[in-house]
């Protein structure tokens, strides 16, 4: 058999690129040519090129591009939620008048904050909502301190704290007495501890009252309130705006400026964000969220949250690593949903640890998403086998300490199946994303059709509507696959719609 012709470029170390598993062409001592092999994953045999392509495809379906109409609907829903919270403040003046909310893209179920998912109802994108957000709403603020904040952690596990209202003035204490548990000391003093469960009770009742009042006087263009549900200490609101459904997970929190003393040692270490953003940006503040440890008292214990810092750190994470993280998160949400021992927040913590551990030049490689995905799966499996997942900001806190051996090994075995065939699990995840998008699109078209005038509504018969708009839409969709199509209709003259396809108007 004839040997293949030699190319003008011989294989060399420099021609391998930075890939850790590339297999180059080489020549042995007998001058025989060894064929070049595709880059493979050692464990599964999957082609790295195929995994990269699938991750890119998942990202395309998972990160939807919004047209002008969808952007307007998102803005309308946000304004409605903020107005609603303003009315909640006016009910009994409990919330701060000048408040500062933190709006995060993604719901609590997506791991944007460290909260337990056991008590949350199961919502699915496409079936129940199209977009999801988390809104942290300070019930109390401590923003006047310039030194490390010391919390009362004597009764709590690491990363958790009780909150005594002795830190606040008498006016604040009197406002919130009914949302506190009371502890009497032997010296006769009374200590009020801010209760996450009682605060959540009050918050849900107040939001419900306000929404009833709002719906008594509906205004044109006002979002439809499709669901209001209490999920543990979280209030989940689903709004319908036009043809979009938005899920808001609203979380009552305590907001602090500065940095907690328990996390002070973390600042002494070297981190991946050094030199990219300032320390002042990272440690601008933290929260207490209404979640307790597995052995703590739900009525008293709050959990430290560094969501504000995580927003800043996300700016320093490469796009390829974020794509791998999103794909891995989609896989584990489906795979490890029962029992709920692992949350996407654990995966987020592992990603941050990986950023500290690995060189920035490696993590910034555009075509390394497959390596990052496989590495995150390996890291998660390692954490399960060892029942060890340190909190990124408070490393001495092990977030998996409570897991039973049986649960940890069950999830580790499930992850082993993913690691053995990542290609198939990525394909399944892509199909789920496509299905969710189809449901959203179907609802969008149904909503658009329902907003068109009907023959019965035109009593005069002067402008008998027909299905020309629907036919035109169908034609545009068929002729322009994969393009962004927007429809603009003048509410005063619905007979003259016009369309935008990408940047062209018709």
């Amino acid at each position: 058999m004839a040997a293949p012709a030699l190319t003008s470029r011989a294989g060399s170390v420099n021609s391998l690129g930075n890939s850790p598993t590339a297999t180059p062409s080489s020549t042995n001592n007998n001058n025989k040519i060894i064929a070049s092999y595709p880059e493979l994953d050692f464990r599964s045999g999957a082609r790295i090129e195929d995994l990269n392509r699938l991750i890119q495809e998942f990202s395309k379906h998972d990160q939807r591009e919004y047209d002008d109409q969808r952007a307007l609907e998102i803005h309308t829903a946000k304004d409605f939620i903020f107005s609603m919270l303003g009315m909640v403040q006016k009910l009994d003046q409990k919330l701060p008048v000048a408040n500062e909310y933190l709006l995060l893209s993604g719901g609590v179920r997506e791991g944007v904050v460290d909260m337990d998912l056991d008590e949350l109802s199961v919502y699915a994108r496409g079936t129940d909502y199209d977009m999801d957000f988390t809104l942290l709403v300070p019930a109390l603020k401590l923003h006047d301190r310039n030194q490390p904040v010391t919390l009362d952690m004597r009764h709590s596990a690491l990363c958790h704290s009780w909150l005594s209202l002795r830190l606040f003035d008498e006016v604040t204490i009197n406002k919130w007495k009914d949302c506190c548990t009371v502890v009497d000391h032997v010296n006769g003093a009374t200590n009020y501890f801010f209760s996450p469960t009682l605060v959540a009770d009050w918050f849900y009742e107040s939001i419900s009252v306000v929404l009833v009042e709002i719906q008594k006087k509906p205004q044109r263009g006002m979002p439809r309130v499709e669901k209001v549900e209490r999920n543990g200490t979280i209030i989940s609101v689903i709004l319908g705006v036009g043809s979009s459904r938005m899920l808001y997970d609203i979380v009552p929190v305590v907001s602090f400026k500065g940095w907690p003393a328990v996390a002070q040692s973390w600042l002494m270490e070297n981190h991946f964000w050094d030199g990219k953003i300032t320390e002042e940006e990272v440690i601008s503040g933290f929260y207490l969220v209404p979640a307790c440890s597995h052995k703590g008292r739900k009525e008293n214990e709050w959990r430290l949250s560094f969501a504000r810092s995580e927003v800043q750190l996300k700016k320093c994470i490469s796009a390829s690593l974020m794509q791998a993280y999103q794909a891995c998160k989609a896989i584990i949400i489906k795979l490890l949903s029962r029992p709920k021992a692992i949350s996407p927040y654990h995966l987020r913590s592992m990603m941050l640890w990986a950023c500290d551990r690995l060189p920035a030049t490696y993590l910034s490689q555009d075509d390394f998403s497959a390596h990052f995905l496989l590495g995150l799966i390996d890291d998660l499996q390692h954490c399960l086998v060892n029942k060890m997942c340190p909190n990124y900001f408070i490393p001495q806190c092990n977030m998996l300490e409570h897991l039973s051996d049986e649960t940890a090994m069950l999830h580790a075995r499930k992850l082993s199946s993913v690691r053995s065939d990542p290609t198939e699990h990525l394909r399944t995840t892509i199909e789920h994303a496509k299905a969710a998008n189809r449901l959203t699109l179907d609802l969008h078209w149904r909503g658009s059709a329902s907003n068109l005038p009907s023959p019965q509504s035109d009593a005069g018969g002067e402008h008998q509507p027909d299905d020309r708009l629907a036919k035109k839409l169908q034609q545009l969709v068929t002729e322009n696959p994969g393009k962004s199509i927007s429809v603009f209709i003048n509410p005063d003259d619905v007979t003259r719609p016009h369309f935008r396809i990408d940047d062209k108007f018709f």
Side-chain angles (χ1 to χ4, degrees):
M1 178 177 177
L6 290 172
T7 62
S8 60
R9 293 181 61 190
S12 66
V13 172
N14 290 334
S15 70
L16 301 184
N18 295 320
S19 172
T21 57
T23 306
S25 297
S26 60
T27 306
N28 64 10
N29 292 335
N30 296 324
N31 293 323
K32 291 182 179 179
I33 304 299
I34 300 176
S36 176
Y37 288 99
E39 191 177 359
L40 302 178
D41 169 38
F42 187 89
R43 173 71 185 88
S44 66
R47 292 169 59 113
I48 296 298
E49 179 184 4
D50 291 343
L51 293 177
N52 278 329
R53 178 180 51 79
L54 289 170
I55 293 171
Q56 291 293 328
E57 185 178 354
F58 170 76
S59 298
K60 180 184 71 174
H61 295 293
D62 186 56
Q63 298 172 0
R64 285 85 61 200
E65 293 184 2
Y66 304 138
D67 58 21
D68 294 342
Q69 181 62 31
R70 180 61 61 86
L72 177 62
E73 291 168 353
I74 293 172
H75 182 74
T76 301
K78 177 177 67 69
D79 280 356
F80 179 85
I81 292 290
F82 284 11
S83 298
M84 176 195 75
L85 291 172
M87 295 178 67
V88 169
Q89 193 280 329
K90 292 176 182 177
L91 276 182
D92 51 17
Q93 309 296 315
K94 274 185 161 69
L95 293 179
V97 176
N99 217 346
E100 183 179 342
Y101 309 137
L102 181 63
L103 180 61
L104 303 169
S105 179
V108 171
R109 295 157 188 80
E110 295 290 317
V112 296
V113 288
D114 181 18
M115 297 193 68
D116 301 319
L117 307 182
D118 294 353
E119 299 179 331
L120 270 63
S121 299
V122 177
Y123 297 155
R125 186 173 72 84
T127 303
D128 302 296
Y129 64 89
D130 305 310
M131 288 156 288
D132 53 337
F133 303 91
T134 297
L135 185 65
L136 304 188
V137 179
L140 288 175
K141 297 193 303 182
L142 239 67
H143 285 189
D144 300 327
R145 295 178 169 232
N146 293 318
Q147 67 268 17
V149 179
T150 303
L151 298 167
D152 185 358
M153 299 183 172
R154 294 171 298 171
H155 313 287
S156 306
L158 276 169
C159 273
H160 298 82
S161 177
W162 291 23
L163 182 66
S164 170
L165 290 193
R166 286 184 298 181
L167 297 170
F168 299 87
D169 55 35
E170 284 297 322
V171 174
T172 303
I173 293 174
N174 289 329
K175 280 183 185 178
W176 286 105
K177 273 183 180 180
D178 57 342
C179 291
C180 293
T181 58
V182 181
V183 176
D184 293 321
H185 292 283
V186 291
N187 60 5
T190 299
N191 200 352
Y192 294 96
F193 286 98
F194 206 41
S195 169
T197 52
L198 293 177
V199 170
D201 289 340
W202 164 82
F203 201 36
Y204 175 69
E205 292 170 5
S206 299
I207 287 176
S208 300
V209 168
V210 165
L211 289 178
V212 168
E213 289 301 313
I214 290 175
Q215 290 171 317
K216 286 180 180 177
K217 300 176 181 178
Q219 298 180 7
R220 184 177 182 180
M222 187 178 78
R224 307 176 305 277
V225 181
E226 299 191 354
K227 182 176 289 187
V228 182
E229 189 172 38
R230 168 87 179 268
N231 285 292
T233 53
I234 299 166
I235 292 84
S236 298
V237 179
I238 296 180
L239 299 177
V241 188
S243 58
S244 301
R245 297 159 301 165
M246 286 127 197
L247 166 63
Y248 271 84
D249 285 327
I250 307 175
V251 187
V253 299
V254 181
S255 176
F256 293 84
K257 290 293 185 184
W259 198 247
V262 69
Q264 200 68 20
S265 61
W266 178 79
L267 297 176
M268 304 297 107
E269 305 293 334
N270 294 324
H271 298 289
F272 71 98
W273 48 267
D274 293 338
K276 299 176 182 177
I277 53 178
T278 65
E279 185 174 287
E280 287 71 24
E281 289 176 286
V282 175
I283 65 170
S284 60
F286 69 100
Y287 298 99
L288 294 181
V289 297
C292 76
S293 62
H294 288 266
K295 294 183 179 179
R297 292 176 58 180
K298 286 187 175 183
E299 67 271 21
N300 283 96
E301 199 168 78
W302 298 77
R303 180 174 298 163
L304 275 75
S305 170
F306 300 91
R308 186 186 297 273
S309 302
E310 289 165 359
V311 169
Q312 299 299 324
L313 298 185
K314 187 177 177 181
K315 300 175 184 177
C316 305
I317 299 175
S318 69
S320 52
L321 179 55
M322 281 305 302
Q323 287 178 347
Y325 164 75
Q326 295 292 348
C328 190
K329 181 177 71 172
I331 291 172
I332 71 165
I333 284 177
K334 297 289 184 184
L335 188 74
L336 308 183
S337 60
R338 292 288 185 273
K340 287 184 177 177
I342 295 292
S343 83
Y345 188 81
H346 294 111
L347 185 66
R348 175 184 285 230
S349 300
M350 292 172 209
M351 177 177 64
L352 294 174
W353 281 118
C355 290
D356 275 356
R357 184 177 70 241
L358 296 165
T361 51
Y362 171 76
L363 293 174
S364 62
Q365 297 293 317
D366 290 337
D367 57 347
F368 272 29
S369 292
H371 297 299
F372 302 154
L373 171 67
L374 299 174
L376 287 171
I377 295 171
D378 288 340
D379 270 4
L380 185 53
Q381 193 171 12
H382 175 83
C383 289
L384 283 167
V385 169
N386 292 280
K387 291 201 303 182
M388 173 63 70
C389 180
N391 182 286
Y392 181 66
F393 299 93
I394 307 176
Q396 59 270 35
C397 172
N398 175 14
M399 297 189 291
L400 296 183
E401 185 178 22
H402 64 280
L403 278 192
S404 68
D405 292 342
E406 293 78 10
T407 300
M409 290 310 298
L410 171 65
H411 285 320
R413 284 193 294 270
K414 289 181 178 179
L415 277 176
S416 178
S417 69
V418 177
R419 193 62 183 82
S420 298
D421 193 358
T423 303
E424 184 57 34
H425 283 84
L426 273 174
R427 288 190 179 118
T428 301
T429 301
I430 290 169
E431 289 307 313
H432 286 151
K434 286 181 177 179
N437 288 340
R438 282 195 297 269
L439 286 169
T440 296
L441 190 60
D442 288 345
L443 182 71
H444 178 79
W445 290 121
R446 288 200 302 271
S448 299
S450 66
N451 290 329
L452 296 175
S454 64
Q456 290 80 6
S457 65
D458 190 356
E462 295 180 1
H463 301 288
Q464 288 294 329
D466 55 29
D467 61 350
R468 284 177 295 175
L469 176 58
K471 288 181 178 179
K472 179 66 174 175
L473 285 172
Q474 184 62 47
Q475 179 185 355
L476 289 173
V477 171
T478 303
E479 295 175 353
N480 298 275
K483 293 187 178 181
S484 172
I485 301 176
S486 304
V487 185
F488 298 86
I489 300 178
N490 181 351
D492 298 320
D493 183 8
V494 295
T495 65
R496 299 180 61 190
H498 66 274
F499 305 89
R500 187 185 74 178
I501 301 176
D502 288 343
D503 295 324
K504 295 182 180 179
F505 288 84
F506 296 84

